[in-house]
Amino acid sequence: MSGRRLSIRTSVVVGVLLIAAPFLGLLTYQAYDRVDSARQATNSLALGRASTVAADVARFVDGTRVELAALAHRPSIVALDPAGCDHVVADATAFEPAYANLYLADRSGRVVCSAESQLDGPVSIVDRPYFQRTMATDAFTVGNAQLGRITGRWVAALAMPVHDSAGRVVGVVAATVDLVTFGSIVVERPTSPSSVTTVVDGAGIVLTRLPDAASWTGKSVGGTGIGPIVMAGGQGTAQTTGLDGSERMYGYTTVPNTDWHVYAGLSTAEAFAHVRENFARAVLLILLALLLAFALAVQASRMIARPVRALADAAQAASRGDFATRVQASGFAETAELADRFNAMLELRGTADAAMR
């Protein structure tokens, strides 16, 4: 039965660990709570930035819509007069640095006049989806990313139908946005170099991305972790990979009145950097406290176990008739007093035994 009992040392050490267990649990809970708070704060920040950029892009698109609507009523535009409309579109382009070009096309898709020269002769846009949709819906249209046939640059066309005096659609006046410069003009640059802001069209093609729009414009986000999430529509947050393969915490939303989407990514490593530092310090303090408690427990168990073991050995010797053995008083005051009394008992027993003899 005695072989199954715990030793004093084991009991003391286990007791210390049991006392420390709630503190370890509290540390774990605090670590989880801090990580969750950091995640929520970062998600909120990312979504807020995405929403801000979406609103800025929407204002730019709406401003272009108003400008194109005014142009569509200009007599030279309505008349599809190449001689009269060239300077009109050129002047309009000069007021907006984000425009790559501004041009007028008739109902057949032939570009009648353009702010940028048509070096190889008249250009046709009849096969462009934005032109077809504008003609079919008789409404302002926001196009997707494409290589401009006149400028040769990555652009997105914003098109407005042109009506004659009878109200019939006779053509389209369109502004193409230079997608590489568009981001730096319309979108505020991220404050952190590891953070990104991306605007994509309805097909998942990058319209612009900050930083380094020139390297990413025209790329597809379909093969990224964030791409399918963003293209599903709506708004929300996600922790996944982006175009460069880096994991970030993203906030995403749509640009009002368009099929464009915006997502902003904040570095996961940066978001949790201070949490990891605080957690590391807390773990270090807990480990030091545990080591100190363990050392004290071991020392305390020794100061109890050794005198008790000496008393047990002396008692065994006395049971064999050896009353001359003595126990050294050591350990705590209680064990030292117990040793003194045991020694006194042995001395009395030895005296009594001698008297009997």
Side-chain angles (χ1 to χ4, degrees):
M1 186 69 177
S2 60
R4 292 196 295 269
R5 295 180 182 274
L6 292 177
S7 65
I8 293 176
R9 178 176 301 176
T10 301
S11 300
V12 172
V13 172
V14 170
V16 169
L17 293 178
L18 289 176
I19 294 173
F23 296 97
L24 293 176
L26 178 62
L27 174 65
T28 303
Y29 170 76
Q30 288 180 337
Y32 173 80
D33 184 62
R34 289 173 181 173
V35 169
D36 188 59
S37 297
R39 180 181 291 106
Q40 292 182 21
T42 305
N43 283 338
S44 178
L45 186 63
L47 182 57
R49 174 164 177 77
S51 299
T52 299
V53 171
D56 292 340
V57 173
R59 278 192 292 270
F60 173 83
V61 171
D62 191 60
T64 300
R65 180 189 61 79
V66 172
E67 184 174 353
L68 291 178
L71 284 175
H73 290 89
R74 297 284 290 270
S76 58
I77 300 294
V78 174
L80 302 177
D81 178 17
C85 70
D86 274 340
H87 75 278
V88 174
V89 295
D91 291 344
T93 307
F95 286 105
E96 180 48 72
Y99 291 164
N101 195 15
L102 200 151
Y103 50 85
L104 172 67
D106 61 23
R107 63 183 304 142
S108 70
R110 181 177 62 90
V111 175
V112 176
C113 56
S114 169
E116 293 288 327
S117 300
Q118 302 180 67
L119 300 178
D120 298 327
V123 172
S124 174
I125 59 171
V126 68
D127 60 331
R128 294 294 202 186
Y130 72 89
F131 175 80
Q132 296 172 354
R133 190 167 25 154
T134 305
M135 294 296 293
T137 61
D138 189 15
F140 175 69
T141 300
V142 178
N144 290 340
Q146 61 186 26
L147 283 172
R149 288 177 178 163
I150 297 175
T151 63
R153 288 177 278 177
W154 278 105
V155 296
L158 309 179
M160 178 70 71
V162 177
H163 302 89
D164 61 13
S165 57
R168 294 170 299 190
V169 179
V170 294
V172 169
V173 61
T176 55
V177 180
D178 187 326
L179 297 180
V180 173
T181 61
F182 170 69
S184 60
I185 295 172
V186 178
V187 181
E188 181 183 355
R189 189 177 183 87
T191 55
S192 172
S194 61
S195 302
V196 299
T197 302
T198 309
V199 184
V200 298
D201 63 21
I205 304 301
V206 175
L207 296 170
T208 191
R209 179 185 186 270
L210 291 178
D212 198 15
S215 298
W216 299 104
T217 296
K219 305 290 186 182
S220 173
V221 300
T224 66
I226 189 62
I229 299 174
V230 171
M231 298 310 296
Q235 70 175 23
T237 59
Q239 182 175 337
T240 183
T241 55
L243 283 165
D244 57 4
S246 299
E247 183 177 280
R248 293 183 176 87
M249 302 181 72
Y250 290 98
Y252 59 90
T253 188
T254 57
V255 178
N257 302 316
T258 73
D259 62 352
W260 291 0
H261 307 270
V262 178
Y263 62 89
L266 303 178
S267 170
T268 305
E270 289 185 10
F272 295 126
H274 69 285
V275 176
R276 285 196 297 268
E277 291 175 1
N278 293 336
F279 183 71
R281 284 194 292 267
V283 168
L284 180 60
L285 290 175
I286 289 293
L287 288 177
L288 289 176
L290 282 175
L291 288 175
L292 178 60
F294 184 80
L296 291 175
V298 171
Q299 182 62 27
S301 66
R302 287 177 179 175
M303 294 177 69
I304 296 173
R306 287 181 177 177
V308 171
R309 172 55 59 189
L311 284 170
D313 292 341
Q316 186 176 15
S319 68
R320 295 194 298 265
D322 182 7
F323 301 113
T325 185
R326 294 291 182 269
V327 180
Q328 183 179 0
S330 62
F332 294 104
E334 289 81 357
T335 55
E337 182 180 359
L338 180 61
D340 289 339
R341 292 187 179 184
F342 186 80
N343 290 336
M345 182 189 70
L346 290 180
E347 186 173 351
L348 290 174
R349 179 61 186 273
T351 303
D353 187 65
M356 288 177 65
R357 289 196 183 95

